[in-house]
């Protein structure tokens, strides 16, 4: 019943009212964004002295998404993903070990997804630079209502949400 009400409300809100109030287009050369030191939690460092830096590129109006450039020098550490994160390696490489033991080396041009609420071990032999697309996961009840809304909006057809 709640999902039905949410679906009805979502269909009744004009799309024009959902238009973002701030910038609708942001573009920068990834190597010209000023990177600021963002130290890795010392408790997460396994070996070496990795030094990380981050530059925020853009943030969604609802504060639920973020795009950033991140780089790191040599070292090994565990990393907690508080948000869903898709990365694309821009330079260098990183050796990843996921919680389930899956191992993969990500090199320039590779794309990977890390689910929010998970850990992975990162080993950087020399240097890595990535673009990160982060999205705050919806709480389960809200995610169900959102999917239902999309299903109703699309006339019951399944597919990727708009």
């Amino acid at each position: 019943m709640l999902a039905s009400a949410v679906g009805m409300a979502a269909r009744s809100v004009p799309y024009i009212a959902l238009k973002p109030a701030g910038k609708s287009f942001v573009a920068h050369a990834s190597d010209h964004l000023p990177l600021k030191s963002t130290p890795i939690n010392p408790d997460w460092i396994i070996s070496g002295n990795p030094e990380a830096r981050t530059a925020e590129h853009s943030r969604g109006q609802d504060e639920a998404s973020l795009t950033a450039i991140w780089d790191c020098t040599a070292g090994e550490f565990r990393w907690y993903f508080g948000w869903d994160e898709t990365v694309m390696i821009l330079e260098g490489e990183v050796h990843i070990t996921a919680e389930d033991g899956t191992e993969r080396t990500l090199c320039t041009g590779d794309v990977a997804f890390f689910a929010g609420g998970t850990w992975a071990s990162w080993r950087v032999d020399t240097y890595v630079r990535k673009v990160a697309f982060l999205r705050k996961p919806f709480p389960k009840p809200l995610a169900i209502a959102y999917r239902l809304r999309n299903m109703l909006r699309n006339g019951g057809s399944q597919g990727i949400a708009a």
Side-chain angles (χ1 to χ4, degrees), residues 85-121:
E85 183 171 333
T86 300
V87 304
M88 178 180 234
I89 305 301
L90 299 173
E91 183 180 343
E93 68 179 31
V94 59
H95 305 275
I96 303 289
T97 303
E99 284 181 311
D100 66 2
T102 303
E103 294 182 31
R104 177 74 194 264
T105 299
L106 301 176
C107 303
T108 302
D110 287 345
V111 177
F113 172 78
F114 300 89
T118 63
W119 287 88
S121 293

Side-chain angles (χ1 to χ4, degrees), residues 7 57 71:
H57 173 269
D71 74 355

